[in-house]
Amino acid sequence: MAQVKISVSNLNLHYGDFHALKNVNLEVEENQVTALIGPSGCGKSTFLRTLNRMNDLIEGVKVDGEILLDGQNIYRQEEDVVSLRKRIGMVFQRPNPFPMSVYDNIAYGPRIHGTKNKRKLDEIVEKSLRAAVLWDEVQDRLYKSALGLSGGQQQRVCIARLLAVEPEVLLMDEPTSALDPLATMKIEELIQVLKKDYTIIIVTHNMQQAARVSGVTAFFLNGDLIEYGVTESIFTKPTDKRTEDYITGRFG
Amino acid sequence: MLKSINPAGSELLGKSLATGAALIAIVSTITIVIFISIKGLSTFTAYGVSIKEFLFSANWLPDRPPGEGGPQVGVLAFIFGSVIVSMLAVLLSAPLSVTCAVFIVEIAPFWGQRFLQPAIELLAGIPSVVYGYIGLSVLVPFIRDNIGGLGFSVLAGFLVLSVMILPTIVSILTDSLKSLPREYKEAALALGSTRWQAIRLVLIPAARSGLVTGVVLGLARAFGEALAVQMVIGNTRKIPTSILDPVITLTSAITMDMGNTPMGSLWNNTLWSMGLFLLLMSFFFILVVRYGVRKGGISR
């Protein structure tokens, strides 16, 4: 087994009176794609958002337990959330490029983290767009609004924007649910390329997608982590009856 | 039991009521424009004043007989007064409004929406004569005693105006900040922005069409405001050389002289021409908001 990047132990999340995550224990391997599957409202997105502390933004959320990133608890008191989010980036369900040019979108992260030099920024922008397999499509329109691109291109702008801050972990929250099949295929191919350099955790509704892109799959149900393991065995011989029912389409 | 209404009949009734109301609005706009144009243009047609003299001369001698170099009706001083007072008001009010709107939407939604926003909206409901009165009894003496000059000044005028246009800019900007997708803020924070960076570099730029709309409408309001301004600016027909000098605006000149001049005289007609000029300015502002802003908002 490869190196453990993120180790979650006894994680509970309460949203007001609602117990949204129940005692979750999970280890995420480095340079692996981990898929989180489960029916709507099972807590998989909520879980994803505990990993870069995006749930902090929501009032009434209480988290306890431990999440270790390279052995350090990201919920410890003195954790710097800003630099944590620089290390653990996120791609959202709906493509959300900022309403500015493609260039400014990609350069946003490096700029806020202190890169001012124009040549250096140019380099980062090109490198990130190439890494997101988008350079050829947008190199002629770098200075036009990113909102003029297609949905799939916008999502790749968001991925490039993320790569520009050089994170270690990529969280993807149903990144293809708003895209057509062709754009989805391109994003999936991209994920295969990116996993060489990044640890990727992807939430998906689409079980075929989980089977195609991930090496490890975790199945959530009603806030419980029911089962996790190598994707192939989860899909071919699940140990839990509920996992089997879900992947064979009996509910969800 | 309800009487059954012939659905086709009630449809017709509703349609004609709505059409009638729309027609009234359109007809009154058109007639106002025609009326002011006829009156306002007669300065140039009946009296032969050149548009150049009207707009670019500051010689205002509308009652001087022809033998003594008159009459002259250059309104540059009025236009200058309106422009300078309105612009300064917007320059002060816009940054203040951005701060208020950001506070209401992003910094402290609870306090902002419960106390600050209603307070600002209340400002919009205060009659302009009250602003003028407060300006006259508080601001003017304060400026005279502590800063200098007569007190009646450009400074007093734009301070009063900047408070009056604050609610316009704040409410438009607040709406446009609120209507931004939550994902912008989330994306900015997920990239490791501090809250301040997210607000300054993503949210405010994303709401810039609202900011421009608010500023233009604020400017239009400031340009058209007569009473409150008139009460505190001293109304001297001269181009001011400092912000402590008294000044006069198009609107205050019109309200002061409209009742004192005989209908049909050159003086009176010139006031109508100034009214026409104000009307054209407000058309211009509306055009900017409708076309300029919308285009700017979608693609850059």
Side-chain angles (χ1 to χ4, degrees), chain B residues 36-80:
Chain B
I36 294 182
S37 302
I38 290 173
K39 297 283 276 183
L41 288 174
S42 67
T43 308
F44 313 110
T45 53
Y47 288 89
V49 176
S50 77
I51 292 180
K52 197 175 135 208
E53 185 200 334
F54 175 77
L55 289 177
F56 300 112
S57 154
N59 295 326
W60 177 252
L61 306 159
D63 51 351
R64 185 79 58 88
E68 296 165 36
Q72 292 189 43
V73 289
V75 300
L76 184 67
F78 307 149
I79 295 177
F80 181 83

mmCIF file of all heavy atoms in Angstrom, chain B residues 36-80:
data_model
loop_
_atom_site.group_PDB
_atom_site.id
_atom_site.type_symbol
_atom_site.label_atom_id
_atom_site.label_comp_id
_atom_site.label_asym_id
_atom_site.label_seq_id
_atom_site.Cartn_x
_atom_site.Cartn_y
_atom_site.Cartn_z
ATOM 1 N N ILE B 36 -41.245 70.425 -23.124
ATOM 2 C CA ILE B 36 -39.994 71.057 -22.697
ATOM 3 C C ILE B 36 -39.134 71.410 -23.908
ATOM 4 O O ILE B 36 -38.471 72.450 -23.933
ATOM 5 C CB ILE B 36 -39.230 70.145 -21.710
ATOM 6 C CG1 ILE B 36 -40.050 70.013 -20.429
ATOM 7 C CG2 ILE B 36 -37.857 70.704 -21.396
ATOM 8 C CD1 ILE B 36 -39.408 69.194 -19.356
ATOM 9 N N SER B 37 -39.160 70.560 -24.939
ATOM 10 C CA SER B 37 -38.357 70.861 -26.125
ATOM 11 C C SER B 37 -38.843 72.133 -26.798
ATOM 12 O O SER B 37 -38.043 73.002 -27.167
ATOM 13 C CB SER B 37 -38.435 69.703 -27.131
ATOM 14 O OG SER B 37 -37.994 68.528 -26.520
ATOM 15 N N ILE B 38 -40.163 72.269 -26.972
ATOM 16 C CA ILE B 38 -40.693 73.465 -27.641
ATOM 17 C C ILE B 38 -40.305 74.719 -26.857
ATOM 18 O O ILE B 38 -39.753 75.679 -27.405
ATOM 19 C CB ILE B 38 -42.230 73.380 -27.778
ATOM 20 C CG1 ILE B 38 -42.582 72.300 -28.797
ATOM 21 C CG2 ILE B 38 -42.809 74.724 -28.206
ATOM 22 C CD1 ILE B 38 -44.068 72.015 -28.888
ATOM 23 N N LYS B 39 -40.558 74.678 -25.536
ATOM 24 C CA LYS B 39 -40.225 75.834 -24.719
ATOM 25 C C LYS B 39 -38.718 76.068 -24.705
ATOM 26 O O LYS B 39 -38.241 77.199 -24.848
ATOM 27 C CB LYS B 39 -40.703 75.610 -23.276
ATOM 28 C CG LYS B 39 -42.188 75.456 -23.121
ATOM 29 C CD LYS B 39 -42.916 76.770 -23.208
ATOM 30 C CE LYS B 39 -42.921 77.458 -21.859
ATOM 31 N NZ LYS B 39 -43.704 78.730 -21.911
ATOM 32 N N GLY B 40 -37.965 74.988 -24.529
ATOM 33 C CA GLY B 40 -36.526 75.126 -24.355
ATOM 34 C C GLY B 40 -35.823 75.536 -25.637
ATOM 35 O O GLY B 40 -34.848 76.283 -25.602
ATOM 36 N N LEU B 41 -36.339 75.060 -26.782
ATOM 37 C CA LEU B 41 -35.657 75.372 -28.035
ATOM 38 C C LEU B 41 -35.924 76.789 -28.505
ATOM 39 O O LEU B 41 -35.183 77.331 -29.323
ATOM 40 C CB LEU B 41 -36.061 74.361 -29.117
ATOM 41 C CG LEU B 41 -35.477 72.950 -28.930
ATOM 42 C CD1 LEU B 41 -36.056 71.997 -29.955
ATOM 43 C CD2 LEU B 41 -33.955 72.977 -29.007
ATOM 44 N N SER B 42 -36.995 77.433 -27.969
ATOM 45 C CA SER B 42 -37.324 78.765 -28.479
ATOM 46 C C SER B 42 -36.239 79.784 -28.139
ATOM 47 O O SER B 42 -36.112 80.791 -28.808
ATOM 48 C CB SER B 42 -38.690 79.216 -27.956
ATOM 49 O OG SER B 42 -38.607 79.401 -26.574
ATOM 50 N N THR B 43 -35.453 79.509 -27.108
ATOM 51 C CA THR B 43 -34.301 80.372 -26.835
ATOM 52 C C THR B 43 -33.428 80.489 -28.077
ATOM 53 O O THR B 43 -32.938 81.563 -28.424
ATOM 54 C CB THR B 43 -33.445 79.780 -25.690
ATOM 55 O OG1 THR B 43 -34.284 79.520 -24.579
ATOM 56 C CG2 THR B 43 -32.318 80.716 -25.293
ATOM 57 N N PHE B 44 -33.268 79.329 -28.723
ATOM 58 C CA PHE B 44 -32.378 79.307 -29.884
ATOM 59 C C PHE B 44 -33.092 79.694 -31.165
ATOM 60 O O PHE B 44 -32.539 80.359 -32.025
ATOM 61 C CB PHE B 44 -31.743 77.915 -30.031
ATOM 62 C CG PHE B 44 -31.200 77.397 -28.734
ATOM 63 C CD1 PHE B 44 -31.805 76.338 -28.086
ATOM 64 C CD2 PHE B 44 -30.099 78.007 -28.139
ATOM 65 C CE1 PHE B 44 -31.321 75.885 -26.879
ATOM 66 C CE2 PHE B 44 -29.611 77.556 -26.925
ATOM 67 C CZ PHE B 44 -30.225 76.487 -26.283
ATOM 68 N N THR B 45 -34.385 79.289 -31.296
ATOM 69 C CA THR B 45 -35.110 79.591 -32.539
ATOM 70 C C THR B 45 -35.662 81.011 -32.523
ATOM 71 O O THR B 45 -35.373 81.805 -33.416
ATOM 72 C CB THR B 45 -36.251 78.579 -32.747
ATOM 73 O OG1 THR B 45 -37.059 78.553 -31.571
ATOM 74 C CG2 THR B 45 -35.703 77.194 -33.008
ATOM 75 N N ALA B 46 -36.428 81.395 -31.475
ATOM 76 C CA ALA B 46 -37.091 82.700 -31.487
ATOM 77 C C ALA B 46 -36.127 83.837 -31.143
ATOM 78 O O ALA B 46 -36.226 84.933 -31.679
ATOM 79 C CB ALA B 46 -38.263 82.687 -30.513
ATOM 80 N N TYR B 47 -35.174 83.583 -30.245
ATOM 81 C CA TYR B 47 -34.287 84.661 -29.823
ATOM 82 C C TYR B 47 -32.920 84.619 -30.493
ATOM 83 O O TYR B 47 -32.094 85.499 -30.296
ATOM 84 C CB TYR B 47 -34.124 84.644 -28.296
ATOM 85 C CG TYR B 47 -35.354 85.113 -27.578
ATOM 86 C CD1 TYR B 47 -36.347 84.221 -27.217
ATOM 87 C CD2 TYR B 47 -35.534 86.470 -27.280
ATOM 88 C CE1 TYR B 47 -37.490 84.641 -26.561
ATOM 89 C CE2 TYR B 47 -36.668 86.909 -26.626
ATOM 90 C CZ TYR B 47 -37.650 85.994 -26.263
ATOM 91 O OH TYR B 47 -38.767 86.431 -25.620
ATOM 92 N N GLY B 48 -32.660 83.565 -31.235
ATOM 93 C CA GLY B 48 -31.424 83.493 -32.006
ATOM 94 C C GLY B 48 -30.164 83.358 -31.177
ATOM 95 O O GLY B 48 -29.078 83.699 -31.624
ATOM 96 N N VAL B 49 -30.293 82.860 -29.934
ATOM 97 C CA VAL B 49 -29.090 82.612 -29.136
ATOM 98 C C VAL B 49 -28.388 81.384 -29.720
ATOM 99 O O VAL B 49 -29.026 80.403 -30.068
ATOM 100 C CB VAL B 49 -29.472 82.331 -27.667
ATOM 101 C CG1 VAL B 49 -28.241 81.984 -26.843
ATOM 102 C CG2 VAL B 49 -30.203 83.525 -27.075
ATOM 103 N N SER B 50 -27.056 81.443 -29.851
ATOM 104 C CA SER B 50 -26.385 80.261 -30.393
ATOM 105 C C SER B 50 -26.180 79.236 -29.271
ATOM 106 O O SER B 50 -26.001 79.601 -28.099
ATOM 107 C CB SER B 50 -25.037 80.632 -31.007
ATOM 108 O OG SER B 50 -24.090 80.846 -29.993
ATOM 109 N N ILE B 51 -26.252 77.940 -29.657
ATOM 110 C CA ILE B 51 -26.096 76.882 -28.663
ATOM 111 C C ILE B 51 -24.725 76.968 -28.007
ATOM 112 O O ILE B 51 -24.551 76.710 -26.821
ATOM 113 C CB ILE B 51 -26.320 75.500 -29.326
ATOM 114 C CG1 ILE B 51 -27.786 75.392 -29.731
ATOM 115 C CG2 ILE B 51 -25.946 74.360 -28.386
ATOM 116 C CD1 ILE B 51 -28.174 74.107 -30.388
ATOM 117 N N LYS B 52 -23.748 77.420 -28.819
ATOM 118 C CA LYS B 52 -22.390 77.549 -28.303
ATOM 119 C C LYS B 52 -22.335 78.579 -27.172
ATOM 120 O O LYS B 52 -21.765 78.334 -26.115
ATOM 121 C CB LYS B 52 -21.462 77.966 -29.453
ATOM 122 C CG LYS B 52 -19.992 77.745 -29.154
ATOM 123 C CD LYS B 52 -19.138 78.062 -30.365
ATOM 124 C CE LYS B 52 -17.949 78.884 -29.907
ATOM 125 N NZ LYS B 52 -17.447 79.764 -30.957
ATOM 126 N N GLU B 53 -22.987 79.720 -27.411
ATOM 127 C CA GLU B 53 -22.986 80.754 -26.371
ATOM 128 C C GLU B 53 -23.683 80.238 -25.114
ATOM 129 O O GLU B 53 -23.197 80.395 -23.992
ATOM 130 C CB GLU B 53 -23.700 82.017 -26.870
ATOM 131 C CG GLU B 53 -23.622 83.164 -25.851
ATOM 132 C CD GLU B 53 -24.699 84.232 -26.066
ATOM 133 O OE1 GLU B 53 -25.174 84.388 -27.203
ATOM 134 O OE2 GLU B 53 -25.077 84.888 -25.071
ATOM 135 N N PHE B 54 -24.834 79.571 -25.340
ATOM 136 C CA PHE B 54 -25.627 79.066 -24.216
ATOM 137 C C PHE B 54 -24.801 78.118 -23.341
ATOM 138 O O PHE B 54 -24.755 78.245 -22.123
ATOM 139 C CB PHE B 54 -26.859 78.357 -24.782
ATOM 140 C CG PHE B 54 -27.717 77.682 -23.753
ATOM 141 C CD1 PHE B 54 -28.572 78.406 -22.937
ATOM 142 C CD2 PHE B 54 -27.673 76.300 -23.607
ATOM 143 C CE1 PHE B 54 -29.366 77.777 -21.997
ATOM 144 C CE2 PHE B 54 -28.464 75.661 -22.659
ATOM 145 C CZ PHE B 54 -29.313 76.410 -21.852
ATOM 146 N N LEU B 55 -24.115 77.176 -24.006
ATOM 147 C CA LEU B 55 -23.414 76.136 -23.248
ATOM 148 C C LEU B 55 -22.047 76.574 -22.725
ATOM 149 O O LEU B 55 -21.616 76.145 -21.670
ATOM 150 C CB LEU B 55 -23.234 74.881 -24.111
ATOM 151 C CG LEU B 55 -24.483 74.065 -24.410
ATOM 152 C CD1 LEU B 55 -24.136 72.910 -25.332
ATOM 153 C CD2 LEU B 55 -25.120 73.549 -23.120
ATOM 154 N N PHE B 56 -21.364 77.416 -23.497
ATOM 155 C CA PHE B 56 -19.954 77.640 -23.159
ATOM 156 C C PHE B 56 -19.621 79.043 -22.681
ATOM 157 O O PHE B 56 -18.468 79.352 -22.434
ATOM 158 C CB PHE B 56 -19.063 77.279 -24.354
ATOM 159 C CG PHE B 56 -19.212 75.836 -24.750
ATOM 160 C CD1 PHE B 56 -19.802 75.469 -25.948
ATOM 161 C CD2 PHE B 56 -18.778 74.832 -23.890
ATOM 162 C CE1 PHE B 56 -19.950 74.141 -26.296
ATOM 163 C CE2 PHE B 56 -18.926 73.496 -24.227
ATOM 164 C CZ PHE B 56 -19.513 73.156 -25.429
ATOM 165 N N SER B 57 -20.633 79.904 -22.547
ATOM 166 C CA SER B 57 -20.341 81.232 -22.032
ATOM 167 C C SER B 57 -20.824 81.321 -20.593
ATOM 168 O O SER B 57 -21.866 80.767 -20.237
ATOM 169 C CB SER B 57 -21.046 82.286 -22.893
ATOM 170 O OG SER B 57 -21.278 83.441 -22.110
ATOM 171 N N ALA B 58 -20.032 82.008 -19.767
ATOM 172 C CA ALA B 58 -20.439 82.182 -18.371
ATOM 173 C C ALA B 58 -21.032 83.575 -18.141
ATOM 174 O O ALA B 58 -21.226 83.987 -17.009
ATOM 175 C CB ALA B 58 -19.250 81.936 -17.449
ATOM 176 N N ASN B 59 -21.317 84.307 -19.237
ATOM 177 C CA ASN B 59 -21.902 85.638 -19.081
ATOM 178 C C ASN B 59 -23.403 85.537 -18.919
ATOM 179 O O ASN B 59 -24.119 85.214 -19.871
ATOM 180 C CB ASN B 59 -21.582 86.516 -20.302
ATOM 181 C CG ASN B 59 -20.087 86.776 -20.387
ATOM 182 O OD1 ASN B 59 -19.413 86.897 -19.367
ATOM 183 N ND2 ASN B 59 -19.580 86.829 -21.615
ATOM 184 N N TRP B 60 -23.871 85.792 -17.747
ATOM 185 C CA TRP B 60 -25.297 85.656 -17.449
ATOM 186 C C TRP B 60 -25.869 87.039 -17.168
ATOM 187 O O TRP B 60 -25.790 87.559 -16.060
ATOM 188 C CB TRP B 60 -25.487 84.724 -16.253
ATOM 189 C CG TRP B 60 -26.913 84.558 -15.817
ATOM 190 C CD1 TRP B 60 -27.475 85.068 -14.679
ATOM 191 C CD2 TRP B 60 -27.944 83.852 -16.484
ATOM 192 N NE1 TRP B 60 -28.788 84.734 -14.600
ATOM 193 C CE2 TRP B 60 -29.104 83.972 -15.710
ATOM 194 C CE3 TRP B 60 -28.013 83.134 -17.684
ATOM 195 C CZ2 TRP B 60 -30.328 83.402 -16.065
ATOM 196 C CZ3 TRP B 60 -29.211 82.558 -18.038
ATOM 197 C CH2 TRP B 60 -30.352 82.698 -17.240
ATOM 198 N N LEU B 61 -26.390 87.703 -18.246
ATOM 199 C CA LEU B 61 -26.986 89.037 -18.118
ATOM 200 C C LEU B 61 -28.318 89.024 -18.850
ATOM 201 O O LEU B 61 -28.505 89.746 -19.827
ATOM 202 C CB LEU B 61 -26.054 90.095 -18.731
ATOM 203 C CG LEU B 61 -24.617 90.109 -18.197
ATOM 204 C CD1 LEU B 61 -23.668 90.800 -19.170
ATOM 205 C CD2 LEU B 61 -24.569 90.779 -16.828
ATOM 206 N N PRO B 62 -29.260 88.228 -18.384
ATOM 207 C CA PRO B 62 -30.488 88.025 -19.164
ATOM 208 C C PRO B 62 -31.386 89.258 -19.188
ATOM 209 O O PRO B 62 -32.247 89.375 -20.061
ATOM 210 C CB PRO B 62 -31.177 86.868 -18.446
ATOM 211 C CG PRO B 62 -30.680 86.933 -17.045
ATOM 212 C CD PRO B 62 -29.291 87.485 -17.111
ATOM 213 N N ASP B 63 -31.203 90.213 -18.237
ATOM 214 C CA ASP B 63 -32.098 91.374 -18.195
ATOM 215 C C ASP B 63 -31.408 92.658 -18.617
ATOM 216 O O ASP B 63 -31.962 93.734 -18.529
ATOM 217 C CB ASP B 63 -32.679 91.531 -16.780
ATOM 218 C CG ASP B 63 -31.591 91.522 -15.717
ATOM 219 O OD1 ASP B 63 -30.423 91.232 -16.063
ATOM 220 O OD2 ASP B 63 -31.911 91.794 -14.538
ATOM 221 N N ARG B 64 -30.153 92.550 -19.074
ATOM 222 C CA ARG B 64 -29.427 93.744 -19.525
ATOM 223 C C ARG B 64 -29.983 94.165 -20.888
ATOM 224 O O ARG B 64 -30.102 93.334 -21.784
ATOM 225 C CB ARG B 64 -27.931 93.380 -19.621
ATOM 226 C CG ARG B 64 -26.974 94.507 -19.956
ATOM 227 C CD ARG B 64 -26.635 95.410 -18.767
ATOM 228 N NE ARG B 64 -26.038 94.761 -17.605
ATOM 229 C CZ ARG B 64 -24.707 94.580 -17.460
ATOM 230 N NH1 ARG B 64 -23.861 94.934 -18.397
ATOM 231 N NH2 ARG B 64 -24.257 94.032 -16.355
ATOM 232 N N PRO B 65 -30.337 95.483 -21.049
ATOM 233 C CA PRO B 65 -30.867 95.905 -22.357
ATOM 234 C C PRO B 65 -29.795 95.807 -23.448
ATOM 235 O O PRO B 65 -28.598 95.855 -23.146
ATOM 236 C CB PRO B 65 -31.277 97.361 -22.121
ATOM 237 C CG PRO B 65 -30.723 97.754 -20.810
ATOM 238 C CD PRO B 65 -30.349 96.538 -20.051
ATOM 239 N N PRO B 66 -30.234 95.690 -24.721
ATOM 240 C CA PRO B 66 -29.300 95.475 -25.830
ATOM 241 C C PRO B 66 -28.214 96.548 -25.904
ATOM 242 O O PRO B 66 -27.068 96.238 -26.208
ATOM 243 C CB PRO B 66 -30.189 95.513 -27.069
ATOM 244 C CG PRO B 66 -31.553 95.179 -26.562
ATOM 245 C CD PRO B 66 -31.625 95.682 -25.157
ATOM 246 N N GLY B 67 -28.556 97.810 -25.595
ATOM 247 C CA GLY B 67 -27.573 98.887 -25.685
ATOM 248 C C GLY B 67 -26.389 98.703 -24.747
ATOM 249 O O GLY B 67 -25.284 99.157 -25.016
ATOM 250 N N GLU B 68 -26.581 98.005 -23.649
ATOM 251 C CA GLU B 68 -25.525 97.889 -22.638
ATOM 252 C C GLU B 68 -24.830 96.522 -22.659
ATOM 253 O O GLU B 68 -24.363 96.021 -21.639
ATOM 254 C CB GLU B 68 -26.108 98.157 -21.248
ATOM 255 C CG GLU B 68 -26.637 99.579 -21.103
ATOM 256 C CD GLU B 68 -27.526 99.728 -19.864
ATOM 257 O OE1 GLU B 68 -27.231 99.087 -18.842
ATOM 258 O OE2 GLU B 68 -28.516 100.478 -19.940
ATOM 259 N N GLY B 69 -24.818 95.896 -23.847
ATOM 260 C CA GLY B 69 -24.078 94.640 -23.984
ATOM 261 C C GLY B 69 -24.911 93.407 -23.705
ATOM 262 O O GLY B 69 -24.430 92.291 -23.761
ATOM 263 N N GLY B 70 -26.183 93.567 -23.401
ATOM 264 C CA GLY B 70 -27.024 92.399 -23.108
ATOM 265 C C GLY B 70 -28.041 92.176 -24.185
ATOM 266 O O GLY B 70 -28.001 92.877 -25.201
ATOM 267 N N PRO B 71 -28.964 91.309 -24.044
ATOM 268 C CA PRO B 71 -28.907 90.309 -22.976
ATOM 269 C C PRO B 71 -27.982 89.149 -23.335
ATOM 270 O O PRO B 71 -27.852 88.807 -24.490
ATOM 271 C CB PRO B 71 -30.361 89.841 -22.896
ATOM 272 C CG PRO B 71 -30.906 90.038 -24.278
ATOM 273 C CD PRO B 71 -30.183 91.205 -24.874
ATOM 274 N N GLN B 72 -27.363 88.585 -22.326
ATOM 275 C CA GLN B 72 -26.512 87.420 -22.557
ATOM 276 C C GLN B 72 -26.966 86.266 -21.653
ATOM 277 O O GLN B 72 -27.234 86.479 -20.481
ATOM 278 C CB GLN B 72 -25.051 87.757 -22.249
ATOM 279 C CG GLN B 72 -24.450 88.745 -23.233
ATOM 280 C CD GLN B 72 -22.954 88.880 -23.032
ATOM 281 O OE1 GLN B 72 -22.273 87.883 -22.838
ATOM 282 N NE2 GLN B 72 -22.455 90.098 -23.068
ATOM 283 N N VAL B 73 -27.050 85.086 -22.236
ATOM 284 C CA VAL B 73 -27.585 83.956 -21.466
ATOM 285 C C VAL B 73 -26.654 82.740 -21.501
ATOM 286 O O VAL B 73 -27.054 81.640 -21.826
ATOM 287 C CB VAL B 73 -29.004 83.555 -21.944
ATOM 288 C CG1 VAL B 73 -30.016 84.601 -21.541
ATOM 289 C CG2 VAL B 73 -29.014 83.339 -23.443
ATOM 290 N N GLY B 74 -25.394 82.963 -21.166
ATOM 291 C CA GLY B 74 -24.481 81.814 -21.062
ATOM 292 C C GLY B 74 -24.677 81.116 -19.724
ATOM 293 O O GLY B 74 -24.651 81.762 -18.684
ATOM 294 N N VAL B 75 -24.905 79.800 -19.747
ATOM 295 C CA VAL B 75 -25.227 79.111 -18.493
ATOM 296 C C VAL B 75 -24.079 78.217 -18.000
ATOM 297 O O VAL B 75 -24.281 77.328 -17.198
ATOM 298 C CB VAL B 75 -26.523 78.274 -18.623
ATOM 299 C CG1 VAL B 75 -27.691 79.164 -18.983
ATOM 300 C CG2 VAL B 75 -26.362 77.155 -19.640
ATOM 301 N N LEU B 76 -22.884 78.488 -18.517
ATOM 302 C CA LEU B 76 -21.754 77.642 -18.136
ATOM 303 C C LEU B 76 -21.582 77.550 -16.616
ATOM 304 O O LEU B 76 -21.309 76.476 -16.079
ATOM 305 C CB LEU B 76 -20.459 78.160 -18.773
ATOM 306 C CG LEU B 76 -19.231 77.288 -18.504
ATOM 307 C CD1 LEU B 76 -19.373 75.944 -19.184
ATOM 308 C CD2 LEU B 76 -17.954 77.973 -18.965
ATOM 309 N N ALA B 77 -21.780 78.674 -15.926
ATOM 310 C CA ALA B 77 -21.585 78.658 -14.472
ATOM 311 C C ALA B 77 -22.565 77.688 -13.810
ATOM 312 O O ALA B 77 -22.210 76.993 -12.850
ATOM 313 C CB ALA B 77 -21.770 80.048 -13.892
ATOM 314 N N PHE B 78 -23.782 77.629 -14.347
ATOM 315 C CA PHE B 78 -24.782 76.717 -13.768
ATOM 316 C C PHE B 78 -24.412 75.262 -14.040
ATOM 317 O O PHE B 78 -24.499 74.413 -13.165
ATOM 318 C CB PHE B 78 -26.177 76.988 -14.357
ATOM 319 C CG PHE B 78 -26.613 78.417 -14.261
ATOM 320 C CD1 PHE B 78 -27.453 78.974 -15.215
ATOM 321 C CD2 PHE B 78 -26.210 79.222 -13.199
ATOM 322 C CE1 PHE B 78 -27.868 80.285 -15.127
ATOM 323 C CE2 PHE B 78 -26.620 80.545 -13.100
ATOM 324 C CZ PHE B 78 -27.449 81.077 -14.074
ATOM 325 N N ILE B 79 -24.021 75.023 -15.309
ATOM 326 C CA ILE B 79 -23.642 73.650 -15.656
ATOM 327 C C ILE B 79 -22.441 73.216 -14.829
ATOM 328 O O ILE B 79 -22.415 72.142 -14.235
ATOM 329 C CB ILE B 79 -23.325 73.538 -17.167
ATOM 330 C CG1 ILE B 79 -24.580 73.812 -17.986
ATOM 331 C CG2 ILE B 79 -22.766 72.152 -17.500
ATOM 332 C CD1 ILE B 79 -24.353 73.799 -19.484
ATOM 333 N N PHE B 80 -21.453 74.108 -14.758
ATOM 334 C CA PHE B 80 -20.261 73.793 -13.985
ATOM 335 C C PHE B 80 -20.634 73.484 -12.533
ATOM 336 O O PHE B 80 -20.163 72.506 -11.956
ATOM 337 C CB PHE B 80 -19.266 74.954 -14.045
ATOM 338 C CG PHE B 80 -18.008 74.688 -13.279
ATOM 339 C CD1 PHE B 80 -16.975 73.969 -13.860
ATOM 340 C CD2 PHE B 80 -17.860 75.133 -11.965
ATOM 341 C CE1 PHE B 80 -15.818 73.698 -13.147
ATOM 342 C CE2 PHE B 80 -16.707 74.870 -11.249
ATOM 343 C CZ PHE B 80 -15.683 74.157 -11.844
#
